Amino acid sequence: MSAQSRSLLDPALIAPALGSALKKLNPRELIRNPVMFAVEVVAVVATILFVRDLLAGSGAAFSGQLAVWLWLTVYFATFSEALAEGRGKAQADALRRTRSETVAKRLTGKSNAYEEVAAPALKVGDLVLVEPGDLIPGDGEVVEGVATVDESAITGESAPVIRESGGDRSAVTGGTKVLSDHIKVRITAAAGSSFLDRMIALVEGAERQKTPNEIALTILLAGLSLIFVLATVTIPSFAAYSGGAVPVIVLVALFVTLIPTTIGGLLSAIGIAGMNRLVRFNVLAMSGRAVEAAGDVDVLLLDKTGTITLGSRQAAEFLPLPGVRASQLADAAQLASLSDETPEGRSIVVLAKAAHGLRGREIEPLDATFIPFSAQTRMSGVDIGATKIRKGAGDAVIAHVKALGGRIPDELGEIVERVAREGGTPLVVATDQRILGVVYLKDIVKGGIRERFQELRAMGIRTLMITGDNPMTAAAIAAEAGVDDFLAEATPEAKLALIRKEQEGGKLVAMCGDGTNDAPALAQADVGVAMQTGTVAAREAGNMVDLDSDPTKLIEIVGIGKQLLMTRGALTTFSIANDVAKYFAIIPAMFVALYPPLGALNVMGLASPQSAILSAIIFNALIIVALVPLALKGVSYTPSNAAALLRRNLLVYGLGGLIAPFIGIKLIDMGVAALGIA
Amino acid sequence: MTFNGWMQIALFCAIVLALARPLGGFLTRVYAGERTFLHPVLAPVERGFYLLAGVRCEAEQGWRSYAVAMLAFNLLGFLLVYGALRLQGALPLNPQGFAGVTPDLALNTAVSFVTNTNWQSYGGEATMSYGSQMWALTVQNFLSAATGMALAVALIRGFARRSAKEIGNFWTDLTRSILYVLLPLCVVLALVYVAMGVPQTLQPYVTAKTLEGADQTIALGPVASQLAIKMLGTNGGGFFNANSAHPFENPSALANLVQMVSIFAVGAALTNVFGRMVGDERQGWAILGAMGALFLAGVAMVYWAEAGANPIHAALGLDPAGGNMEGKEVRFGIALSALFAVITTAASCGAVIAMHDSFSAIGGMIPMVNMQLGEVIVGGVGAGLYGVLLFAIVAVFVAGLMVGRTPEYVGKKIEGREVKLTMLALLCSPAATLLALGVASVSPLGLAGLQESGPHGFSEMLYATTSAAANNGSAFAGLTANSPFWNVLLAAGMMIGRFALIVPMLAVAGSLAAKGKVPPSAGTFPTYGTLFVGLLGGVILIVGGLTYFPALTLGPVADAFATAAGTTY
């Protein structure tokens, strides 16, 4: 928040915005915003009237000032948009620099022979070689090799990530840098349509299209403006009946104060700022539509691992078989884990020390050989001399022990089943052909996640946990985390079917995923957040990409979507409620000459008809500037149910919108009268 | 203001509230085609009509086809009324031998009765034959009311259905409205009125000798039958020029109560139909609640304004304790006159028991505001409900965003298309009113009809153009509207106010019906309860009211301040 308020006043952003706001006054660009376009037309009319008054030599001071404030009204609106775009532009420029002059090493034949070509000349399907220190020339898929890649150009995260062929970490992005090893990459995106290009276009707002809700709101505002056109154009003939006339400059002033200029002026800034908030969260929305949909989400599908539980499991208990001492089991397990750098392995070392006072030992003096985990054996362990200590999945260790001629105790099955029922993972430990017992690896539910789910429930959003675990384990974790429901032994097909089922009931579903097999579900979900670490297929299927690859962010994304819609609604309500006070400023000023008793309607006690009209116009212009920070930051938002949110916002922006302009116009009028400018 | 006065107002409200639910239940069954206690007798009649007309009652229509059927039916109705009035001199049941009606008056009257406005540029007993009253005007009273009810049900179906192409069958909805609702109730009401002393005869006018020996012509006719539908169908066109202030059209306090209740009965019940059809009666009560709040505020203001005295009269030495009795029936007094004036303008009825022109400036302004808000405070039968639902769409769209979701109303997402069509519909009435008023206030032909000058004269024109565009039909009096200029201008206003609104409204119904339904959750903006009632009332007041602020300032508001200051024009 503090970083944000600082950046709002950042002169580096404000200065260019002042200039580009001027360019946006071009009527061809402004016509996309009917309300502000109307103000511009009216400003032109006022300027002509000013010139006329100047030539006639009377009243030019008044019409001149009105014309200036009308132009300022339009300018403030375009300024707010330019300021909102400014942030994105700065980011886009940084991105663009990384794209420049990359040279690609296109492979020519079967061997590693390559020719150097400019990156933009690459075609989809080309194979390129990328060596340490090279920038990856385009989006693609690793087809051979493993490499560490610095993706900070895109994610801002300086820690390198691993990219390897096959599996779910095969996607590479153009503009990122290979740090070690060399890889072969098949190009999957043509120049100009790469991820980086799309990202630049998105943050810059070049491709910004109005979102469905924004279009609907624009129509509403245009409709209201039309009603006020009717209300103003008929006034001259009413006045004629009443035996007088109303100057055109006063009519245009009334019209501009009545039409919803506040929301009309800030509408596009709100939309851009909403996208920028996501970008600041390191989430890229492929369309504004997706951000809006996020606010509407009814069901969140969350992967258990990494979202609800910590990515790793932790040893919670040593469960020895009968005849084995717990410390004996702990000792063996610790030895087997000393060189095991996985979080599970480390947690076993820690637990053994905490529960049985066994200190971690150096492995070299023991003449030990560490046996790393492999997908074939599904075990890891250590060989100390002739002694083979192994830990691993139940069936793998059983097979291993049987192969050595060992016996499988009957009690083992019971223990393994109990651990699974409680939501844990059993890790069986054996020394040579003797099974010692089980290490209870527990899924650790993230701290505070339960409260987050409660908040979501209050907002009317259901959480659904997706896990590959068996239903027993899944139920235990679901209960501990406090999710509303779970899908156990989830397959990609089951996930897709679940999303379809929820959607048929009229619900909007959000999910995140990274693997190729997640792609159909990501495409089907209303909000599909693909992880940056994921596959190309996943990234193509989703409508958002999370650069940090943090699935918990789905919750924040929903919040940002809601905040965007709330900000629009709040400023619309405020804008319309303002009209009451403006009528009370201008109508008596306009008609008091026709019927002097109407002076009683001047409830604010404004100094003179001219100062009343001028003050209303000034208020109308200044309120846009005053609300720019709110539009860019979004209204404050605490998750709660809709009725409470509505009551609060109606009070603040509805009632506030009724009262604020009475005070504001009065204060400006006092200033105007004191300066004697009207 | 008196306790007795308030008790009468309270009694009226209690009866309307008590009727809303049972009548709503009955209407819901009728429109769903379910059996009611009337079916043993009327179902064969209904089937007979379909057989005669070649209508397949189970074949439903999309919104376009529904709209075309409705427009064609109303065009035919217009032509029949116009023809009957022009040829009146040659048609039977004309004991007074009235000549055919002039083209502009016939046009105005035909449009007026087809649009459920029942604006009368003529005096009934001096212009219309019994035959014209019966087959042209009374028939159209039924048909225009039934059209409104059918349209409301079509829009409700839009909200209630999911992923549907059809919104009902116009012919079925129309037939059922008349056969099961309007006709049976009117038969009963007409008999009640007759029992209370309302004439129902085809005999010629009676000539009586007064005590001074002068001849007096007493107008008669089939009054009771027309009175029944005039109120129940919120038509409001009086049999006599004095409308329900005439003793033969409103013989007693009880008859007056029955009339007032029948104006609101169907409109209030339709809110309950809405609640039932969308599966949550609270939704209907919330709408009725918003209507009720605006209604009571109006009644309180008019009652307060009329109970106070005219300061100019008081200065001349009149006792201010009597309140403002000018233009009021002594039989009904201030409380009932105020109540009736608000009912008739809130409900798009247009019948009167007092001359609104003679109300105080504020007392006369409230009826205008009622109409300018779009006739949505209970409103015309059907028209009030579809009008208020359009406002609900706007209210939900603006405020609903503030809960951070795409706005939805009773499970239907409100998106660009609905907003566009709704704004189009809501534009019609202000456009018709203000443009007509703008033309009239600078045209010598328009000003020729005025009785008063100054702000009150402006109010007379404002009232007339408002009444036409809002399809209310009540008159402020004071304006002589039977001139080609006013007849054509107001006819145009009535047409736009009715049909230009209906077509986009039906399109909204079609668009909503095609959508799926979003199940409610804690994140959904609840559209029942006081919060929504306040919001809907606020949006109606702000969106409906702000449009007319300048016009009202130059009319009744200026009038009020001038009266207070003792200025006359």
Side-chain angles (χ1 to χ4, degrees):
Chain A
M1 187 67 86
S2 65
Q4 161 128 24
S5 31
R6 224 181 307 127
S7 68
L8 280 176
L9 300 172
D10 189 351
L13 286 177
I14 287 179
L18 288 171
S20 55
L22 270 181
K23 280 188 217 129
K24 286 174 183 289
L25 292 177
N26 182 349
R28 258 174 303 190
E29 198 175 326
L30 203 60
I31 200 153
R32 277 159 48 92
N33 183 340
V35 175
M36 292 329 288
F37 183 73
V39 180
E40 186 168 51
V41 169
V42 164
V44 170
V45 172
T47 312
I48 295 169
L49 291 171
F50 163 65
V51 173
R52 191 198 63 181
D53 289 348
L54 207 59
L55 295 176
S58 75
F62 180 60
S63 54
Q65 288 188 65
L66 278 185
V68 167
W69 283 105
L70 289 174
W71 279 113
L72 281 176
T73 310
V74 192
Y75 182 71
F76 290 155
T78 56
F79 171 72
S80 74
E81 189 183 291
L83 190 61
E85 282 172 358
R87 292 189 61 87
K89 282 230 169 62
Q91 197 164 0
D93 288 343
L95 288 172
R96 226 180 243 117
R97 277 195 291 277
T98 67
R99 198 179 50 174
S100 55
E101 72 255 355
T102 309
V103 174
K105 297 169 177 169
R106 183 160 64 192
L107 292 165
T108 47
K110 276 177 188 165
S111 67
N112 278 354
Y114 61 81
E115 54 180 0
E116 293 206 340
V117 294
L122 288 173
K123 288 189 215 47
V124 175
D126 280 355
L127 274 180
V128 295
L129 178 71
V130 192
E131 291 174 309
D134 289 353
L135 284 178
I136 296 174
D139 289 3
E141 203 162 9
V142 181
V143 289
E144 196 186 309
V146 186
T148 51
V149 179
D150 172 10
E151 294 194 337
S152 61
I154 289 188
T155 62
E157 174 60 55
S158 54
V161 293
I162 290 179
R163 295 285 177 233
E164 58 192 347
S165 61
D168 288 346
R169 287 166 177 254
S170 60
V172 289
T173 311
T176 57
K177 187 187 253 180
V178 171
L179 295 179
S180 69
D181 306 298
H182 62 268
I183 47 174
K184 287 181 185 168
V185 174
R186 178 181 289 114
I187 299 297
T188 53
S193 65
S194 71
F195 186 69
L196 196 63
D197 292 313
R198 264 157 64 198
M199 198 165 150
I200 290 170
L202 273 167
V203 295
E204 214 171 30
E207 279 177 17
R208 206 177 93 78
Q209 302 237 311
K210 282 191 182 166
T211 56
N213 176 266
E214 204 176 343
I215 292 170
L217 190 53
T218 306
I219 293 169
L220 179 90
L221 299 179
L224 285 176
S225 304
L226 248 144
I227 289 182
F228 290 124
V229 168
L230 285 171
T232 15
V233 298
T234 48
I235 287 178
S237 65
F238 300 169
Y241 168 88
S242 311
V246 175
V248 178
I249 191 83
V250 175
L251 282 179
V252 301
L254 175 67
F255 173 68
V256 168
T257 52
L258 290 183
I259 61 175
T261 46
T262 313
I263 178 66
L266 295 172
L267 188 55
S268 64
I270 295 171
I272 299 168
M275 294 282 271
N276 282 348
R277 266 197 296 282
L278 273 183
V279 171
R280 245 189 336 274
F281 254 93
N282 262 352
V283 175
L284 275 189
M286 294 305 158
S287 71
R289 187 185 288 263
V291 187
E292 268 171 21
D296 287 353
V297 160
D298 304 284
V299 181
L300 279 188
L301 299 192
L302 297 169
D303 276 323
K304 183 198 76 176
T305 311
T307 312
I308 294 169
T309 61
L310 294 171
S312 53
R313 295 148 196 247
Q314 303 213 333
E317 205 180 342
F318 293 108
L319 302 168
L321 283 165
V324 180
R325 275 177 292 113
S327 59
Q328 201 180 344
L329 170 64
D331 182 55
Q334 193 187 43
L335 279 173
S337 307
L338 279 176
S339 290
D340 184 353
E341 282 304 316
T342 64
E344 288 86 353
R346 281 199 300 261
S347 77
I348 292 174
V349 176
V350 170
L351 181 70
K353 182 178 154 194
H356 300 280
L358 298 168
R359 298 185 57 83
R361 288 149 285 189
E362 288 300 316
I363 200 156
E364 285 80 17
L366 296 175
D367 179 28
T369 324
F370 179 60
I371 312 293
F373 178 87
S374 82
Q376 282 81 43
T377 59
R378 293 193 294 135
M379 291 185 303
S380 66
V382 65
D383 290 350
I384 302 173
T387 314
K388 294 179 195 305
I389 306 177
R390 293 288 181 275
K391 63 180 171 41
D395 47 352
V397 177
I398 288 170
H400 164 76
V401 168
K402 274 186 179 158
L404 293 177
R407 193 185 63 85
I408 310 301
D410 300 335
E411 294 84 353
L412 181 66
E414 265 171 50
I415 297 176
V416 165
E417 196 187 315
R418 181 167 68 83
V419 171
R421 200 167 45 236
E422 289 172 8
T425 307
L427 199 64
V428 179
V429 180
T431 306
D432 294 330
Q433 73 273 41
R434 183 180 178 207
I435 293 183
L436 297 176
V438 173
V439 180
Y440 183 168
L441 286 182
K442 205 175 171 191
D443 258 319
I444 304 297
V445 172
K446 284 186 178 175
I449 199 91
R450 208 187 160 86
E451 289 70 32
R452 298 292 292 277
F453 291 151
Q454 258 159 13
E455 275 176 19
L456 288 170
R457 206 167 300 123
M459 290 155 61
I461 297 172
R462 277 173 64 231
T463 43
L464 257 158
M465 184 181 84
I466 308 288
T467 171
D469 292 344
N470 62 56
M472 230 161 35
T473 313
I477 296 168
E480 192 183 341
V483 292
D484 294 298
D485 206 348
F486 64 89
L487 178 69
E489 286 168 354
T491 58
E493 294 76 32
K495 226 165 163 175
L496 190 62
L498 180 71
I499 294 174
R500 290 220 170 105
K501 197 186 97 205
E502 294 286 350
Q503 285 173 335
E504 269 160 31
K507 303 246 171 69
L508 257 65
V509 182
M511 68 164 285
C512 49
D514 52 6
T516 301
N517 54 16
D518 282 333
L522 277 171
Q524 180 71 32
D526 301 281
V527 177
V529 183
M531 301 293 113
Q532 163 71 9
T533 55
T535 59
V536 174
R539 258 159 48 175
E540 291 291 327
N543 48 16
M544 293 192 192
V545 175
D546 177 13
L547 301 176
D548 296 339
S549 305
D550 169 11
T552 331
K553 265 201 207 153
L554 209 46
I555 299 172
E556 270 83 22
I557 292 172
V558 168
I560 288 171
K562 283 195 178 296
Q563 198 186 21
L564 171 70
L565 293 174
M566 281 166 62
T567 308
R568 272 191 206 140
L571 291 182
T572 307
T573 308
F574 185 84
S575 195
I576 295 173
N578 270 205
D579 277 2
V580 177
K582 292 171 186 170
Y583 258 133
F584 274 99
I586 295 189
I587 289 286
M590 199 180 226
F591 292 147
V592 75
L594 304 175
Y595 297 116
L598 285 177
L601 282 181
N602 182 6
V603 291
M604 285 174 268
L606 304 179
S608 73
Q610 290 207 333
S611 84
I613 293 163
L614 191 58
S615 305
I617 282 285
I618 295 177
F619 175 83
N620 199 50
L622 290 183
I623 195 74
I624 297 181
V625 186
L627 291 175
V628 164
L630 184 71
L632 296 189
K633 241 163 42 186
V635 301
S636 78
Y637 158 72
T638 40
S640 57
N641 69 49
L645 279 175
L646 185 68
R647 198 174 310 120
R648 181 187 164 277
N649 287 332
L650 262 184
L651 206 67
V652 176
Y653 299 100
L655 200 61
L658 274 179
I659 297 166
F662 277 102
I663 300 166
I665 293 175
K666 175 68 188 170
L667 289 176
I668 294 170
D669 178 74
M670 283 157 69
V672 166
L675 292 172
I677 53 177
Chain B
M1 291 189 275
T2 62
F3 178 72
N4 180 287
W6 281 111
M7 286 314 291
Q8 297 188 54
I9 293 165
L11 176 68
F12 164 78
C13 295
I15 298 175
V16 169
L17 274 180
L19 281 176
R21 198 163 184 274
L23 192 53
F26 175 73
L27 286 171
T28 310
R29 295 185 71 83
V30 165
Y31 289 113
E34 292 167 21
R35 276 187 77 79
T36 65
F37 69 99
L38 291 173
H39 272 72
V41 185
L42 293 177
V45 183
E46 187 191 350
R47 280 196 298 275
F49 278 126
Y50 297 152
L51 219 63
L52 274 176
V55 169
R56 281 182 32 246
C57 71
E58 68 280 6
E60 296 219 328
Q61 298 166 305
W63 78 265
R64 282 187 187 83
S65 144
Y66 200 99
V68 168
M70 184 275 303
L71 288 173
F73 179 74
N74 279 277
L75 178 67
L76 190 68
F78 164 79
L79 292 173
L80 286 174
V81 175
Y82 183 80
L85 295 184
R86 294 285 291 135
L87 299 173
Q88 176 171 268
L91 292 170
L93 283 183
N94 187 358
Q96 303 308 119
F98 291 127
V101 179
T102 59
D104 60 294
L105 179 59
L107 166 83
N108 182 283
T109 307
V111 170
S112 171
F113 278 74
V114 166
T115 56
N116 197 255
T117 311
N118 301 34
W119 169 270
Q120 293 168 297
S121 282
Y122 60 91
E125 62 270 50
T127 318
M128 297 296 169
S129 72
Y130 290 169
S132 298
Q133 294 268 25
M134 288 163 66
W135 52 61
L137 306 185
T138 308
V139 165
Q140 211 35 252
N141 276 353
F142 278 96
L143 300 183
S144 65
T147 300
M149 293 163 75
L151 291 168
V153 173
L155 180 57
I156 298 175
R157 288 197 189 105
F159 280 105
R161 292 183 173 179
R162 64 178 71 195
S163 313
K165 283 198 182 70
E166 291 87 15
I167 54 169
N169 181 316
F170 174 70
W171 307 112
T172 320
D173 291 340
L174 183 83
T175 310
R176 286 177 182 160
S177 301
I178 297 175
L179 204 57
Y180 294 97
V181 186
L182 296 176
L183 260 182
L185 279 169
C186 281
V187 167
V188 174
L189 283 168
L191 291 173
V192 168
Y193 290 136
V194 169
M196 289 175 177
V198 177
Q200 178 73 14
T201 175
L202 294 176
Q203 296 296 314
Y205 296 173
V206 173
T207 308
K209 274 262 186 278
T210 63
L211 287 174
E212 294 103 42
D215 281 333
Q216 185 191 6
T217 306
I218 298 174
L220 295 173
V223 185
S225 57
Q226 203 199 0
L227 178 60
I229 186 64
K230 163 186 134 187
M231 296 307 185
L232 195 69
T234 62
N235 294 285
F239 194 92
F240 302 114
N241 193 26
N243 211 307
S244 279
H246 194 293
F248 283 174
E249 213 162 322
N250 198 352
S252 64
L254 188 61
N256 191 53
L257 180 65
V258 175
Q259 294 195 20
M260 291 193 299
V261 169
S262 43
I263 295 175
F264 265 14
V266 176
L270 278 171
T271 61
N272 184 255
V273 174
F274 172 70
R276 286 174 192 264
M277 283 177 67
V278 300
D280 183 357
E281 282 190 64
R282 289 177 302 177
Q283 304 284 359
W285 291 120
I287 292 208
L288 192 58
M291 291 171 162
L294 292 171
F295 171 71
L296 285 177
V299 171
M301 280 186 76
V302 177
Y303 191 17
W304 167 80
E306 295 310 299
N310 183 330
I312 298 173
H313 292 178
L316 293 173
L318 247 62
D319 179 10
N324 177 25
M325 275 300 287
E326 183 194 312
K328 294 190 178 66
E329 250 284 45
V330 183
R331 293 185 297 144
F332 300 127
I334 287 173
L336 283 184
S337 296
L339 177 63
F340 200 105
V342 177
I343 295 171
T344 194
T345 50
S348 179
C349 177
V352 290
I353 63 166
M355 296 301 116
H356 296 176
D357 193 28
S358 297
F359 278 24
S360 64
I362 298 300
M365 179 176 79
I366 300 301
M368 281 188 234
V369 173
N370 278 340
M371 296 186 272
Q372 285 159 351
L373 296 182
E375 290 293 17
V376 294
I377 308 172
V378 179
V381 283
L385 188 75
Y386 61 66
V388 82
L389 288 177
L390 294 178
F391 272 110
I393 288 176
V394 175
V396 162
F397 184 78
V398 172
L401 276 178
M402 286 196 291
V403 307
R405 279 173 74 97
T406 301
E408 54 207 52
Y409 185 51
V410 293
K412 294 288 185 173
K413 275 199 189 323
I414 308 299
E415 291 165 301
R417 186 172 155 75
E418 291 76 43
V419 171
K420 181 162 67 188
L421 293 165
T422 302
M423 288 313 288
L424 204 61
L426 290 180
L427 259 169
C428 296
S429 191
T433 308
L434 291 173
L435 294 177
L437 182 62
V439 171
S441 40
V442 289
S443 150
L445 291 169
L447 300 174
L450 287 184
Q451 182 180 301
E452 261 77 33
S453 57
H456 200 75
F458 190 74
S459 294
E460 288 172 355
M461 292 191 296
L462 173 60
Y463 197 106
T465 54
T466 301
S467 176
N471 296 144
N472 180 279
S474 69
F476 212 36
L479 176 74
T480 308
N482 191 10
S483 69
F485 173 85
W486 279 108
N487 276 336
V488 173
L489 187 72
L490 295 179
M494 293 186 275
M495 290 287 278
I496 294 170
R498 178 85 164 178
F499 296 110
L501 183 153
I502 286 175
V503 175
M505 181 280 291
L506 277 177
V508 171
S511 170
L512 289 173
K515 295 183 181 225
K517 251 182 172 301
V518 184
S521 74
T524 323
F525 160 33
T527 50
Y528 46 81
T530 47
L531 195 64
F532 180 70
V533 169
L535 175 69
L536 180 57
V539 166
I540 292 173
L541 275 181
I542 288 192
V543 176
L546 286 183
T547 322
Y548 296 96
F549 202 104
L552 288 169
T553 309
L554 289 177
V557 175
D559 197 4
F561 284 119
T563 311
T567 316
T568 52
Y569 292 88

